[in-house]
Amino acid sequence: MRKMLENFSFLCVLALAFSSCAHTSRLAVKDSVEPVEAWGLAEFNEKDLAASKNAALADALKRAVTEAVSLFAQDPSEIAALSANPHLYTRKYKLISAAREGGSFKVRVRAYVELPRIAADLRGRIPLAAGRAGTRAALVITERGPGAGDNFAVAFKKNMGSAVIFENYPWLADGSTAGKTPEDLLVSVRDSGADLLFYVEAQARPAGAGLATGFYPINSEAKLSVYDALSGQRLFQASTQANALDASEAASGAKSLYSTGELMSQSAALNLGRMVKKSVELTLRVRKLGGFTNLKILKGEADKLGAKSLRLESYSDGEALFTISLANPDPQELASALLRQDELGLELESATQAEVVFSANR
């Protein structure tokens, strides 16, 4: 009998332990799901009210997930890809209101969105964008004279190789750079996420009469300035020249400009290590945030820190983890800059060379 009682007591303790573990697990999952309110619209179908409501609900859930994904990703294609399947990230939802408004049906919902799953799926997409890693730059070139076109640019990019990635930002191709100084362009460069601005003025000029010989000598000169996108500081400046000779003035100019681009790229590549300021990545950890609304406020404050790059890596159980790349790697300066615009009652817990930790009290 005593043996049976001992066995029964053991089983009770074991069952209680498993029950406790299961309860902890449910809490963890619950704390990782955040309520996000959003509205949705759909065309009102007088013959099918249910269809109108369902379409508006689908729109509302997509808007809720899009808002959540936008905290973790900046690339519009990534945001669109994840938001296209809102059901994957929505645990449940509560309908707050639903009504016809003119020719539309409008609903407002409180969607319970799984932020950790969004963060995990975005990390899974990183290998697809691996080619974008490295120093990114905007290349702005003005070519003038015989043979002007994109000859300098082609040679310069080709001979720089993989030392730097020249991105094809839309604003480089729409003609808006014409006549602008480097200072005018730096705002666009920073907003695009580039690290450097390469600013070139290249000019091809006749170097002598070619009518007597049937050939047209051309001399080209290019001046290059490289700027740090974040600080606006000029990091490097150089000029170079090249000559060419061909049976037409345009052909000579094109060759000359191409040769100038080759020579200039050699000089720039040699100095690239000195030009690029090594960014230091810090971890920013904020605890006790208390929900999605405060996470949005924190993300907005972090976006104003002037970082070269900023990523929200994870959010779970009230704790947000960011990775920040700064031109100034001083953790105390990062902490001070965040506190100057604080709306969350932040308290600094620690600041090391690797991590700055706060707790929120709002």
Side-chain angles (χ1 to χ4, degrees):
M1 182 69 177
R2 182 179 179 183
K3 180 79 170 174
M4 291 177 64
L5 288 173
E6 288 176 350
N7 288 340
F8 179 75
S9 299
F10 172 75
L11 290 172
C12 288
V13 171
L14 189 62
L16 183 61
F18 274 112
S19 174
S20 175
C21 290
H23 182 62
T24 302
S25 176
R26 283 197 300 271
L27 282 177
V29 170
K30 182 179 179 182
D31 287 345
S32 297
V33 178
E34 292 296 325
V36 181
E37 290 194 9
W39 56 269
L41 279 178
E43 184 178 350
F44 183 72
N45 186 342
E46 294 185 1
K47 297 181 180 180
D48 196 339
L49 178 61
S52 302
K53 180 180 178 181
N54 290 336
L57 279 172
D59 184 52
L61 295 178
K62 182 176 181 180
R63 290 175 188 268
V65 171
T66 298
E67 184 175 4
V69 173
S70 298
L71 293 181
F72 292 89
Q74 285 75 47
D75 189 330
S77 63
E78 291 182 339
I79 296 173
L82 269 66
S83 302
N85 299 294
H87 62 281
L88 294 177
Y89 308 104
T90 306
R91 178 74 59 83
K92 60 181 181 178
Y93 70 87
K94 179 180 179 181
L95 182 62
I96 299 174
S97 65
R100 178 180 181 178
E101 289 191 1
S104 301
F105 193 84
K106 184 175 183 178
V107 302
R108 187 165 189 85
V109 303
R110 182 178 296 117
Y112 292 83
V113 181
E114 298 185 72
L115 300 190
R117 186 167 185 178
I118 289 174
D121 283 2
L122 280 171
R123 285 195 294 271
R125 294 173 62 87
I126 289 176
L128 299 176
R132 296 185 57 145
T135 301
R136 291 186 294 164
L139 178 59
V140 177
I141 299 175
T142 301
E143 281 192 25
R144 297 187 179 90
D150 60 356
N151 303 290
F152 181 97
V154 170
F156 188 79
K157 289 181 180 180
K158 178 180 178 181
N159 289 278
M160 285 292 289
S162 59
V164 66
I165 300 167
F166 292 110
E167 297 281 9
N168 295 318
Y169 299 114
W171 55 270
L172 290 173
D174 64 8
S176 62
T177 63
K180 290 189 176 180
T181 66
E183 290 74 20
D184 296 330
L185 297 167
L186 281 169
V187 173
S188 297
V189 177
R190 282 193 293 269
D191 290 346
S192 300
D195 302 298
L196 301 173
L197 167 63
F198 283 67
Y199 185 85
V200 179
E201 292 181 302
Q203 176 78 52
R205 299 183 180 89
L211 295 177
T213 62
F215 290 95
Y216 294 82
I218 295 289
N219 171 263
S220 292
E221 180 181 17
K223 297 178 180 179
L224 166 69
S225 295
V226 182
Y227 296 83
D228 176 73
L230 186 62
S231 67
Q233 179 184 357
R234 187 168 62 192
L235 306 176
F236 177 72
Q237 191 173 27
S239 63
T240 190
Q241 297 185 31
N243 298 305
L245 186 69
D246 208 289
S248 75
E249 191 174 60
S252 294
K255 286 183 178 180
S256 179
L257 288 164
Y258 189 94
S259 297
T260 307
E262 286 183 318
L263 293 172
M264 185 66 82
S265 66
Q266 295 170 13
S267 175
L270 287 173
N271 287 276
L272 187 61
R274 180 172 65 83
M275 286 192 282
V276 179
K277 290 185 174 180
K278 299 298 181 182
S279 297
V280 176
E281 283 198 341
L282 290 175
T283 297
L284 171 63
R285 189 184 302 273
V286 182
R287 301 180 173 128
K288 302 178 183 177
L289 270 174
F292 185 77
T293 299
N294 284 355
L295 177 61
K296 286 200 300 180
I297 293 173
L298 177 63
K299 177 62 163 52
E301 292 177 351
D303 284 336
K304 298 175 184 177
L305 292 174
K308 286 191 173 183
S309 65
L310 170 70
R311 295 189 305 276
L312 173 59
E313 303 287 358
S314 65
Y315 179 78
S316 182
D317 301 326
E319 180 173 300
L321 184 66
F322 294 86
T323 299
I324 301 181
S325 179
L326 297 164
N328 179 2
D330 184 354
Q332 293 290 343
E333 176 56 32
L334 168 63
S336 297
L338 197 57
L339 287 171
R340 283 194 292 269
Q341 54 180 327
D342 173 35
E343 298 180 25
L344 299 171
L346 296 178
E347 290 187 4
L348 180 63
E349 294 186 6
S350 63
T352 68
Q353 290 300 319
E355 184 178 61
V356 177
V357 183
F358 285 96
S359 61
N361 293 285
R362 172 177 147 177

